[in-house]
Amino acid sequence: MKKTSLNDIAQQLGVSKTLVSLVLNGKGNEYRISEDIQKKVKELARKLNYKPNQIAKGLRTGKTNTIGLIIADIANPFFGKLGREIEREAASHGYRVMFCSSDEKAENAKLQIEMLQQGQVDGFIISPPNGSEEQIKQLKNSKTPFVLIDRYFPEIESNCVVVDNLKASCEGTEHLIKNGRKRIACITTNPGMLNMDNRLDGYKKALTDAALEVDENLIKILPFSHEIKDVMEAIKELTSLDENKIDAILFTTSKVGVMGIQCLHLLDLKIPEDVAVVSFDDLDAYKISRPSITAIAQPLEEIGKHSVKILLEAMTDKSKKKELHKIVLETKFVIRNSSIK
Amino acid sequence: MKKTSLNDIAQQLGVSKTLVSLVLNGKGNEYRISEDIQKKVKELARKLNYKPNQIAKGLRTGKTNTIGLIIADIANPFFGKLGREIEREAASHGYRVMFCSSDEKAENAKLQIEMLQQGQVDGFIISPPNGSEEQIKQLKNSKTPFVLIDRYFPEIESNCVVVDNLKASCEGTEHLIKNGRKRIACITTNPGMLNMDNRLDGYKKALTDAALEVDENLIKILPFSHEIKDVMEAIKELTSLDENKIDAILFTTSKVGVMGIQCLHLLDLKIPEDVAVVSFDDLDAYKISRPSITAIAQPLEEIGKHSVKILLEAMTDKSKKKELHKIVLETKFVIRNSSIK
DNA sequence: CTGAAAGCGCTTACAG
DNA sequence: CTGAAAGCGCTTACAG
């Protein structure tokens, strides 16, 4: 069952592989190759189940029809769903996707980008970890097309697709305030990452706008790679404050949110009676949880579609003056039982 | 910023690319190339930041160091986590992974396999959809190494890594019986798929072993691509049975389970008081749900490790008498509040 | 209308 | 110890 190559077809038909290649690539008419021969070539190709070797094609044309996707962790539902959307959109344009989980480590992302850059992919969609500025700059210098998602580096001009984190976070916090919460905590992580910083800023802005004090004691910034014990500690501290205890928490990621809700359950704190909860990212878990959890949902399908489209444009646009796109999408605030009276 | 090739190094040093290739592939000593030259080559390679073009290498050697992963849906947490484990294990052996979501459609899997088979991957890890027997047979005929996961086709001899679905399901059902449940329903899907059929059989076996009647009215088999309304309908039927109502449900997938739990909530049925719940696959959602949900957890890390190892073995073993491996792993039963009195 | 030839960037017998 | 050459399977100027 050896695979059939262009040559096999050419030999059997007694023509050159040039001709076969031309016909099979739909350039038969363009080169005015006789209908008769075209038909024969196509028939034999079908009969021998010919499939062009993409690797050889890639070497020759410099195109692989593959996109490199670098995200934090494909097992994280947020990235899993986003990955699916990207895969779907890419497939509809004839592209495949190679995925790499960086675990938010710049070192990993660096290796993965370098690896895939060796002729393996035509471009990248990247959720860049903290500290990967240099890598992204190099990517840019090397003229490899890419688009950043979820976050970006303001000092590096590049394509990117993100959501309005500040606004989203502000909206979530305002909602808690409107529902009578006064001592609202924020548990976040990955400081220095733009999206996270913006979410924290949005929280602060909402408080300030409502003439509430921004109490630094109510802000817990978890270490980079956080575990449930870190979340537990943060919540214990927040709920054992001497004066008035907290009455709400805004979680800036669903990973922290899931852990946080587990902790609240373990501590026998009632949601929303004791502590109201709003979390970034909408999960299945939030829908079936009792109480259901109010969430700030990101438009995953749109992020996927936009990022692929922009990338394709950058990959195919031969003109030197490539336009950079910065897309900022809106989130959707889904009010459930965890945050209302 | 053109990429540097073997030739660039060879020319600058005034040696042949043969030599450069040899040195850079660590065969310098084997071919007794002088230390001096070896050093020069390596230094220049580092200086020029030389990275071999994997595509060219692949064309020449017929190896891509890439694994094709075909699963139902990367956005499904089960496959997302499994994908992560496979990625991790593959990376530790220097392999990348290309993933494709088949949506459980044989047609999609067929196209994806054919696409990647054109020199793009060295082997496959596949969770084969219903009706993809022919495709798998062809894959086998073409001598492409592959391993099936999650399910397999008994009539096709192949590598596979699965769990003991019958036993797991039996165990889950027994647990419900031990906790005093008598009218236990089973909501399942994808009939004809071996893993699903085994799960249903395990449910029946547990009932029979406990001398309970297997009531076909209590078994709901959802259509292939199911939506929440299908689940809702099934549950409504189950809970409105004239005689004695059901007092427990075994969900054979977490996708059905999540929907089912939502429906129970919507119908104001109390878990576990009115209906006890056990579900296949352990999700974050099940941990934070109130009540927490008893789950049959699959050993994702083990599945990932085994499948990659077996595949690598099949890909590297040059001897003709390749051994086929069939690995059956144990699940872990995690008892939570949804199933106990 | 069709074919011979070059070349993408590598590796690997083969020769000396 | 080192190099010239062939070849992996394609595509694409170029020539006729």
Side-chain angles (χ1 to χ4, degrees):
Chain A
M1 289 286 289
K2 191 183 147 296
K3 255 172 230 146
T4 71
S5 75
L6 261 193
N7 232 336
D8 299 333
I9 299 182
Q11 284 186 1
Q12 289 196 34
L13 250 37
V15 298
S16 73
K17 25 180 203 158
T18 304
L19 190 150
V20 179
S21 170
L22 254 23
V23 172
L24 263 20
N25 282 320
K27 297 187 183 168
N29 292 331
E30 188 182 328
Y31 281 77
R32 283 175 289 175
I33 291 166
S34 68
E35 286 299 327
D36 191 42
I37 293 198
Q38 289 206 38
K39 212 162 148 189
K40 272 192 197 152
V41 169
K42 282 180 188 160
E43 264 170 19
L44 188 58
R46 196 167 329 112
K47 194 174 137 224
L48 295 181
N49 195 25
Y50 171 71
K51 300 276 161 51
N53 180 322
Q54 296 301 329
I55 273 257
K57 195 170 185 166
L59 180 58
R60 178 61 225 240
T61 61
K63 281 222 41 169
T64 60
N65 280 310
T66 303
I67 292 174
L69 174 63
I70 300 192
I71 54 182
D73 181 3
I74 192 72
N76 177 326
F78 170 71
F79 287 112
K81 290 193 175 170
L82 187 51
R84 182 69 171 97
E85 296 299 340
I86 288 173
E87 182 199 353
R88 200 191 310 274
E89 184 67 16
S92 80
H93 295 278
Y95 278 77
R96 301 165 263 293
V97 11
M98 197 104 107
F99 75 92
C100 298
S101 303
S102 73
D103 278 328
E104 297 290 14
K105 296 205 180 97
E107 179 62 14
N108 291 347
K110 180 178 153 72
L111 291 173
Q112 291 160 343
I113 291 173
E114 284 181 351
M115 178 177 77
L116 295 184
Q117 227 184 332
Q118 311 318 313
Q120 304 237 79
V121 301
D122 296 337
F124 288 92
I125 295 178
I126 305 175
S127 175
N130 247 341
S132 61
E133 290 87 342
E134 273 313 310
Q135 200 53 39
I136 300 299
K137 271 186 205 158
Q138 271 193 240
L139 200 59
K140 193 179 167 184
N141 283 336
S142 75
K143 310 279 186 210
T144 310
F146 68 96
V147 9
L148 303 183
I149 53 172
D150 198 38
R151 34 219 134 112
Y152 64 100
F153 301 116
E155 71 272 25
I156 305 177
E157 286 201 332
S158 69
N159 290 310
C160 66
V161 180
V162 294
V163 298
D164 192 337
N165 285 298
L166 191 137
K167 184 174 163 195
S169 190
C170 194
E171 191 178 357
T173 311
E174 272 169 5
H175 162 81
L176 287 167
I177 297 171
K178 264 191 224 133
N179 277 267
R181 306 295 167 162
K182 299 231 168 344
R183 300 273 299 160
I184 303 170
C186 177
I187 303 188
T188 184
T189 181
N190 289 350
M193 206 172 274
L194 191 65
N195 55 349
M196 290 303 148
D197 290 351
N198 284 343
R199 290 175 193 183
L200 184 54
D201 288 344
Y203 155 84
K204 288 179 183 170
K205 179 170 184 301
L207 293 181
T208 310
D209 286 355
L212 288 173
E213 179 203 6
V214 174
D215 182 348
E216 293 292 338
N217 292 319
L218 301 194
I219 298 173
K220 294 292 175 187
I221 301 178
L222 300 181
F224 221 59
S225 115
H226 42 284
E227 290 166 35
I228 192 157
K229 69 169 172 36
D230 300 316
V231 182
M232 184 56 115
E233 198 181 320
I235 291 185
K236 273 188 183 162
E237 283 176 27
L238 288 172
T239 52
S240 63
L241 290 171
D242 278 346
E243 332 115 69
N244 27 20
K245 287 180 181 169
I246 61 163
D247 54 17
I249 305 180
L250 172 74
F251 293 107
T252 63
T253 78
S254 59
K255 193 171 165 197
V256 176
V258 166
M259 290 179 184
I261 291 162
Q262 270 185 282
C263 293
L264 290 172
H265 286 330
L266 289 171
L267 294 171
D268 266 329
L269 290 164
K270 296 263 169 301
I271 306 173
E273 293 81 356
D274 298 329
V275 180
V277 165
V278 168
S279 171
F280 255 81
D281 298 336
D282 200 9
L283 301 180
D284 286 341
Y286 289 167
K287 295 173 194 158
I288 68 166
S289 162
R290 292 288 98 164
S292 53
I293 307 294
T294 297
I296 297 166
Q298 298 199 48
L300 299 172
E301 188 180 336
E302 278 187 77
I303 298 176
K305 283 203 165 145
H306 276 106
S307 54
V308 171
K309 275 193 184 140
I310 293 173
L311 183 61
L312 289 183
E313 206 176 298
M315 293 190 312
T316 43
D317 184 13
K318 296 295 171 207
S319 69
K320 284 303 154 199
K321 44 164 177 117
K322 305 209 179 189
E323 252 180 85
L324 292 180
H325 297 269
K326 176 177 172 182
I327 310 255
V328 181
L329 300 168
E330 297 293 311
T331 55
K332 193 172 140 211
F333 192 54
V334 185
I335 299 176
R336 298 207 182 87
N337 295 323
S338 69
S339 62
I340 54 182
K341 278 180 224 173
Chain B
M1 286 289 287
K2 188 182 150 296
K3 256 173 227 144
T4 72
S5 75
L6 261 194
N7 234 337
D8 298 334
I9 299 183
Q11 283 186 1
Q12 288 196 34
L13 250 37
V15 298
S16 72
K17 27 181 202 162
T18 306
L19 190 149
V20 177
S21 170
L22 255 24
V23 171
L24 261 21
N25 282 319
K27 297 186 182 169
N29 292 330
E30 191 182 324
Y31 283 76
R32 281 174 293 176
I33 290 167
S34 69
E35 286 300 327
D36 191 42
I37 294 198
Q38 289 207 38
K39 212 163 146 188
K40 273 191 195 150
V41 169
K42 283 180 189 162
E43 264 170 19
L44 188 57
R46 196 169 327 116
K47 196 174 137 222
L48 294 181
N49 195 25
Y50 171 71
K51 301 275 162 52
N53 180 322
Q54 296 299 330
I55 273 256
K57 195 170 184 166
L59 180 59
R60 177 62 225 241
T61 62
K63 281 221 43 168
T64 60
N65 280 311
T66 303
I67 292 174
L69 174 62
I70 299 190
I71 54 183
D73 182 3
I74 193 72
N76 175 327
F78 170 70
F79 287 113
K81 290 192 175 173
L82 187 51
R84 183 68 171 100
E85 297 298 340
I86 288 172
E87 182 199 353
R88 199 193 309 275
E89 184 67 17
S92 80
H93 295 277
Y95 278 77
R96 300 165 265 291
V97 11
M98 198 104 106
F99 74 91
C100 298
S101 303
S102 72
D103 278 326
E104 297 291 14
K105 296 204 179 99
E107 179 62 14
N108 291 347
K110 180 177 153 73
L111 290 173
Q112 291 159 344
I113 291 173
E114 284 180 351
M115 176 178 77
L116 295 185
Q117 227 185 331
Q118 312 317 317
Q120 304 237 79
V121 302
D122 296 336
F124 287 93
I125 295 178
I126 304 176
S127 176
N130 248 342
S132 60
E133 289 88 341
E134 273 313 310
Q135 199 53 39
I136 300 300
K137 273 187 203 158
Q138 271 192 244
L139 200 59
K140 194 178 167 184
N141 282 336
S142 75
K143 309 282 186 208
T144 309
F146 68 96
V147 9
L148 303 183
I149 54 173
D150 198 37
R151 35 216 132 113
Y152 65 101
F153 301 117
E155 71 272 24
I156 306 177
E157 287 202 332
S158 70
N159 290 309
C160 67
V161 180
V162 294
V163 299
D164 192 337
N165 284 298
L166 191 137
K167 184 174 163 195
S169 190
C170 195
E171 190 179 357
T173 311
E174 273 169 4
H175 162 81
L176 287 167
I177 297 172
K178 265 190 223 132
N179 276 268
R181 306 295 166 162
K182 299 232 170 340
R183 300 274 298 162
I184 304 170
C186 177
I187 303 188
T188 184
T189 180
N190 289 351
M193 206 173 275
L194 190 66
N195 55 351
M196 290 303 147
D197 289 351
N198 285 341
R199 289 175 194 183
L200 185 53
D201 289 343
Y203 156 83
K204 290 180 182 170
K205 180 170 184 298
L207 293 181
T208 310
D209 286 355
L212 288 173
E213 180 203 4
V214 174
D215 182 348
E216 292 293 337
N217 291 320
L218 301 194
I219 298 172
K220 293 292 176 188
I221 301 179
L222 300 181
F224 222 59
S225 115
H226 43 284
E227 288 167 34
I228 193 157
K229 70 170 170 36
D230 301 315
V231 182
M232 184 55 114
E233 198 180 320
I235 291 185
K236 274 189 182 159
E237 284 176 26
L238 287 172
T239 52
S240 63
L241 291 170
D242 279 346
E243 332 115 68
N244 27 20
K245 286 179 182 167
I246 62 163
D247 55 16
I249 304 180
L250 172 74
F251 293 107
T252 63
T253 79
S254 59
K255 194 171 165 195
V256 176
V258 166
M259 290 179 184
I261 292 162
Q262 270 186 280
C263 293
L264 290 172
H265 287 330
L266 289 172
L267 294 171
D268 265 330
L269 289 163
K270 294 263 169 301
I271 306 174
E273 292 81 357
D274 299 328
V275 180
V277 165
V278 169
S279 171
F280 256 81
D281 298 336
D282 199 10
L283 302 180
D284 286 341
Y286 289 169
K287 294 172 194 158
I288 68 166
S289 163
R290 290 291 96 166
S292 52
I293 307 293
T294 297
I296 297 167
Q298 299 199 46
L300 300 172
E301 188 180 337
E302 279 187 76
I303 297 176
K305 284 203 166 146
H306 276 107
S307 55
V308 171
K309 275 193 183 141
I310 293 174
L311 182 62
L312 289 183
E313 207 176 297
M315 293 189 312
T316 43
D317 184 13
K318 295 295 170 207
S319 70
K320 285 302 155 201
K321 43 164 179 114
K322 304 209 178 184
E323 253 179 85
L324 292 180
H325 297 269
K326 176 176 172 182
I327 309 254
V328 180
L329 301 168
E330 297 292 311
T331 55
K332 193 171 140 210
F333 192 54
V334 186
I335 299 175
R336 298 207 181 89
N337 295 324
S338 68
S339 62
I340 54 181
K341 279 179 220 170

